[in-house]
Amino acid sequence: PCLHFRINIIVPIIIPETKTKNLSMTTYTEELRAKAGDQWNRIVHHKFTKELAAGTIDKPTVLKRYLMQDYRFVDSCVVLLASIVAKVPTLEDRIPGCQWLAVATGPENTYFERSFEVLGVTAEERSNTPDADVTVKFCKLMIGAAKSGNLEEMLAVLVVCEWTYMGWGQAVLSAEQKEGGPKVARENFETFEWIELHSGPGFESFVDYLRKLLDREGEKLKAGSCQERLEACERRFLETVELEEQFFDYAYQQN
């Protein structure tokens, strides 16, 4: 499908309520993020995100290379989210994930198709371009987490993917609000709509939903002294952070 109009993504995510013992306590996802150190900030403030927002990104090379590879693991991401939906214990927990599956396979998928058209990416080029090493690693990580059968490992990967993207989406939009801050270019859908897809109330509520699920699983594992599973979850989380930075860097590599 190829829809030639801008889509504002606001999905009314229903977030299951969770009981919090102490609101001042550091959450499990905050603990994991802290272990990522400055690498997290390097992703959120990567030059790719700044150039994308400014509209100055090299579209024929950098953006094209990024989107062609990013689209390669959309299927793996869908498998991962569907596995989470299947693994969570209640319908209430499943509904937000199902809602976002519709976004990933609808407006987000359409964005890629429209972008490939405007960037002149042919079907032959899409078929013949090999997967980058980082793409192979990302797909392997997502599918491996899905096959692990451990909800916390599945969530660890997806939380990083979506939370870091929400971070840079918020960063470029908030920078614009500051006096003399860099303006976000809105003229071309292939740059601005990627920001829209990763910002706003709908996307923020989806990230909050994923984080709360992982926080809940982390607390269960801690209470049960499941150290091996906690360590496996942390490894998944940090490996995803590493690959996110590598993927942005890859877009600027010379062939």
Side-chain angles (χ1 to χ4, degrees):
C2 191
L3 306 180
H4 294 279
F5 54 85
R6 177 171 293 168
I7 305 171
N8 290 317
I9 309 300
I10 301 179
V11 177
I13 301 294
I14 305 169
I15 303 175
E17 292 185 5
T18 56
K19 295 180 181 180
T20 305
K21 294 180 180 179
N22 188 338
L23 294 176
S24 65
M25 291 175 62
T26 301
T27 65
Y28 181 56
T29 51
E30 288 170 339
E31 291 174 5
L32 290 172
R33 176 176 171 172
K35 290 180 180 181
D38 191 54
Q39 191 169 35
W40 190 279
N41 291 327
R42 293 201 301 270
I43 296 168
V44 170
H45 300 289
H46 198 280
K47 71 175 181 178
F48 179 92
T49 68
K50 295 177 180 178
E51 291 179 357
L52 183 77
T56 59
I57 196 166
D58 187 335
K59 295 178 186 178
T61 54
V62 175
L63 184 59
K64 177 179 174 180
R65 183 183 297 123
Y66 168 88
L67 290 178
M68 286 181 66
Q69 294 296 324
D70 193 283
Y71 193 56
R72 298 290 176 85
F73 50 78
V74 168
D75 182 63
S76 298
C77 189
V78 168
V79 169
L80 180 58
L81 180 52
S83 299
I84 291 170
V85 169
K87 191 70 177 178
V88 291
T90 68
L91 176 61
E92 185 181 22
D93 289 328
R94 298 187 215 285
I95 289 173
C98 290
Q99 290 175 322
W100 209 258
L101 276 171
V103 174
T105 57
E108 185 166 332
N109 184 69
T110 299
Y111 161 81
F112 280 105
E113 298 290 349
R114 293 158 57 222
S115 295
F116 290 147
E117 182 177 342
V118 78
L119 292 171
V121 181
T122 65
E124 182 180 14
E125 188 175 9
R126 287 170 61 179
S127 177
N128 294 339
T129 300
D131 289 346
D133 288 344
V134 66
T135 304
V136 173
K137 291 176 182 177
F138 238 134
C139 290
K140 182 179 180 181
L141 175 64
M142 289 180 176
I143 298 301
K147 288 183 176 180
S148 73
N150 292 327
L151 180 57
E152 70 278 0
E153 291 187 47
M154 303 176 200
L155 287 164
V157 175
L158 198 56
V159 162
V160 173
C161 293
E162 308 300 0
W163 195 7
T164 55
Y165 268 56
M166 184 186 76
W168 69 252
Q170 290 175 331
V172 297
L173 291 173
S174 61
E176 182 183 44
Q177 302 304 314
K178 298 177 182 177
E179 185 175 354
K183 298 300 180 184
V184 175
R186 290 172 167 78
E187 297 80 17
N188 299 308
F189 82 86
E190 64 270 25
T191 54
F192 182 59
E193 197 168 302
W194 195 236
I195 299 170
E196 279 191 310
L197 281 163
H198 298 100
S199 60
F203 188 67
E204 290 171 4
S205 64
F206 175 57
V207 174
D208 191 38
Y209 154 75
L210 292 174
R211 286 188 58 197
K212 284 182 176 179
L213 288 179
L214 183 52
D215 287 337
R216 187 173 69 189
E217 292 306 305
E219 291 309 314
K220 288 180 183 177
L221 294 175
K222 288 179 182 179
S225 300
C226 301
Q227 191 59 35
E228 289 187 6
R229 286 181 60 176
L230 286 167
E231 290 174 358
C233 181
E234 181 180 327
R235 285 195 297 271
R236 296 281 191 191
F237 190 97
L238 296 179
E239 183 180 356
T240 311
V241 173
E242 175 65 29
L243 290 177
E244 285 290 4
E245 184 177 27
Q246 286 184 22
F247 194 73
F248 276 151
D249 290 344
Y250 161 80
Y252 290 89
Q253 290 178 5
Q254 299 296 320
N255 293 331

